[in-house]
Amino acid sequence: MAENFEQKLEEAKAILQKLLQSDMTMSESMKAYEEGMKALQKAQKLLDDAVLHVETIKQQTTEPSA
Amino acid sequence: MQPYDIVYETYGTLSEAKDNIVVVCHALTGSHHAAGWYEGDAKPGWWDGLIGSGKAIDTDRFYVVCTNVIGSCFGSTGPMSQNKDGEVYRYKFPVVSIKDMIKAQRILFDRLGIHRVHAIVGGSMGGMQALQFAIHYPSFANKIIAMATTFATQPWAIAFNKVAQEAILTDPDFKNGYYDPEDIRQKGLSGMAVGRMAGHISFLSHYSMIEKFGREYKRNDGLYELFGKFQVESYLEYNGYNFTKWFDPLAYLYITKAINIFDLARGFDSLFHALAKIQADLHLISFREDMLFLPDEMRKIDEILKSQHYRNCHHFEVESHYGHDAFLVEIDKFDSYVKEVLNG
């Protein structure tokens, strides 16, 4: 299934919640941190792609032609 | 052709004396929707920058009429319309000329009680119509403003049209003209897309492409990815394929045919004799890097009229690198000229 922005954000949020729990070990929290950053990066990429798509459409449709 | 429909749009208010009418003529893929917004549309009419309240063609002052040409696909009778027996014309639709387009408009105007207008303004194929009006109905308009156009379509322009026509005709999905238009609107027609890409090249210029795209590469594509794209490629692809969703291929064949056979001198001994018919105040606006219709072609009209000691012809060459489409895009470079002509 294609990954979507909202899912990735939810994933990152869930991991943040986990990190806030004080009963995690150092190595567990490092792993969670890594996973969370990955999810955020993926979300950022999806967002960049969406912005690029909007920019492209805007650039290509604003000018009329003969 | 049997009785035909012409769809048109008007802007502004008709004066009691009916002396404030400005006719606007559209280009190859234009329509009667020249200005203003339709609800839900991403962009306004094709000359919205020029037509409107306080703009060069000021709708507070003028009553603007724009019709969709016959042969087109936005509501006026064209190859995909039905004849009186309910059959779709397709190839039975007659070849129409620019002269036919303006005759059809003139008949409509007569029906609307419009027998004389203040001005006719058009660019590209719209400019051809404006010039044809000037010669065929010399006393119909006081002023003619023809932009980015020619006295007769030259082989360079015909060649670009040929690429589009051939690409459409050889596309299996065109089904030799017996396609289902709904299919094409949904799935597109790659032949027409390719043809339209060629058209877009002719509408721009070497310089405007550098300004618009440079060597920019699509941000998320790899340079060594075989199908990674330069911005210019992405532009052509997007506009080419998108075009097939809103324009009809048979209409494209018929209208490009009308453009190809356009020659003001047809029916006269020469261009000199044709131009001698003109009585209106004629304004020619050309764009320096227009390679579809060269400024030289407009200059030739001016020179012939000058040789006839015709005083009411003016040629304004716009300093523009944009190319042919400058008449639609760089409105700020000529709108004050148009305003002055119309208000003068």
Side-chain angles (χ1 to χ4, degrees):
Chain A
M1 203 181 84
E3 289 172 310
N4 84 39
F5 177 73
E6 289 76 9
Q7 280 170 358
K8 284 287 146 195
L9 220 53
E10 280 307 316
E11 225 174 274
K13 263 193 214 163
I15 292 166
L16 184 65
Q17 280 301 323
K18 256 209 258 170
L19 275 169
L20 288 171
Q21 290 166 8
S22 52
D23 57 355
M24 280 177 101
T25 65
M26 175 75 168
S27 76
E28 273 171 348
S29 58
M30 282 304 286
K31 201 165 169 260
Y33 176 77
E34 205 177 312
E35 276 172 18
M37 285 310 284
K38 261 190 201 157
L40 275 178
Q41 274 165 8
K42 186 73 202 166
Q44 185 62 46
K45 169 125 177 47
L46 289 166
L47 193 61
D48 284 349
D49 284 350
V51 169
L52 182 67
H53 191 61
V54 169
E55 273 173 13
T56 309
I57 289 174
K58 243 163 88 181
Q59 185 199 348
Q60 293 170 346
T61 55
T62 46
E63 285 164 354
S65 57
Chain B
M1 206 167 71
Q2 296 156 7
Y4 59 88
D5 292 328
I6 289 194
V7 58
Y8 64 96
E9 244 178 59
T10 68
Y11 319 93
T13 312
L14 181 61
S15 65
E16 223 165 280
K18 291 187 179 176
D19 60 355
N20 67 337
I21 301 161
V22 175
V23 173
V24 168
C25 302
H26 70 74
L28 168 58
T29 63
S31 73
H32 52 292
H33 181 40
W37 293 78
Y38 288 162
E39 214 181 304
D41 269 9
K43 52 183 180 177
W46 53 272
W47 237 357
D48 192 69
L50 197 68
I51 305 165
S53 173
K55 296 178 187 174
I57 305 180
D58 191 348
T59 49
D60 295 337
R61 180 168 181 171
F62 298 112
Y63 179 64
V64 183
V65 186
C66 184
T67 77
N68 182 216
V69 298
I70 49 167
S72 181
C73 53
F74 295 107
S76 293
T77 301
M80 292 309 279
S81 305
Q82 291 181 356
N83 66 19
K84 71 171 181 359
D85 301 322
E87 292 165 35
V88 177
Y89 282 107
R90 297 187 194 265
Y91 287 125
K92 285 182 185 152
F93 193 76
V95 165
V96 291
S97 63
I98 301 294
K99 202 196 270 183
D100 295 326
M101 290 173 185
I102 65 134
K103 276 187 183 170
Q105 288 177 57
R106 183 67 208 269
I107 292 167
L108 168 78
F109 296 146
D110 274 340
R111 287 274 182 93
L112 298 174
I114 297 170
H115 306 296
R116 194 179 169 94
V117 300
H118 177 61
I120 300 173
V121 190
S124 194
M125 188 183 84
M128 294 176 179
Q129 293 169 66
L131 290 172
Q132 191 78 64
F133 262 114
I135 284 172
H136 204 71
Y137 301 115
S139 58
F140 182 64
N142 300 332
K143 293 164 196 274
I144 300 282
I145 305 177
M147 307 179 199
T149 191
T150 184
F151 55 89
T153 304
Q154 301 302 304
W156 182 267
I158 296 171
F160 275 102
N161 285 339
K162 175 64 179 168
V163 175
Q165 292 167 348
E166 200 62 21
I168 290 170
L169 289 168
T170 54
D171 187 325
D173 292 332
F174 178 64
K175 298 182 178 155
N176 295 316
Y178 291 88
Y179 55 88
D180 174 352
E182 198 44 49
D183 266 2
I184 290 190
R185 269 193 291 275
Q186 289 191 2
K187 295 181 211 149
L189 185 69
S190 55
M192 183 153 74
V194 171
R196 187 63 178 165
M197 288 184 207
H200 275 288
I201 298 170
S202 74
F203 303 151
L204 295 175
S205 75
H206 194 96
Y207 308 100
S208 60
M209 283 208 189
I210 291 172
E211 265 167 44
K212 256 173 124 72
F213 317 111
R215 286 184 46 77
E216 285 297 304
Y217 209 72
K218 272 188 82 177
R219 198 162 15 132
N220 295 349
D221 283 4
L223 186 59
Y224 294 101
E225 222 177 278
L226 183 59
F227 298 109
K229 289 179 198 82
F230 283 96
Q231 281 298 353
V232 63
E233 295 176 291
S234 154
Y235 173 88
L236 290 176
E237 237 178 53
Y238 179 87
N239 281 294
Y241 284 94
N242 194 45
F243 178 63
T244 65
K245 292 178 185 151
W246 59 269
F247 205 86
D248 176 67
L250 269 173
Y252 204 82
L253 295 182
Y254 274 87
I255 298 180
T256 48
K257 179 68 182 176
I259 290 173
N260 288 353
I261 61 177
F262 172 70
D263 183 352
L264 280 179
R266 182 163 297 111
F268 295 92
D269 288 343
S270 66
L271 182 60
F272 183 94
H273 289 90
L275 295 175
K277 300 275 286 178
I278 294 175
Q279 293 172 19
D281 191 6
L282 178 64
H283 293 267
L284 306 163
I285 303 178
S286 62
F287 298 87
R288 213 177 73 195
E289 297 301 335
D290 182 348
M291 57 171 183
L292 200 56
F293 303 120
L294 302 178
D296 273 357
E297 294 168 47
M298 311 222 29
R299 194 170 299 121
K300 185 169 171 176
I301 298 174
D302 187 42
E303 281 170 4
I304 292 177
L305 284 166
K306 292 259 168 13
S307 79
Q308 296 174 356
H309 307 291
Y310 189 73
R311 286 162 188 270
N312 300 324
C313 179
H314 311 271
H315 179 203
F316 171 40
E317 187 174 325
V318 179
E319 278 298 318
S320 162
H321 284 307
Y322 197 87
H324 180 67
D325 271 350
F327 83 96
L328 292 164
V329 175
E330 297 192 327
I331 288 170
D332 57 320
K333 292 192 174 171
F334 61 86
D335 61 347
S336 53
Y337 183 86
V338 170
K339 192 172 195 132
E340 212 171 290
V341 169
L342 292 180
N343 296 352

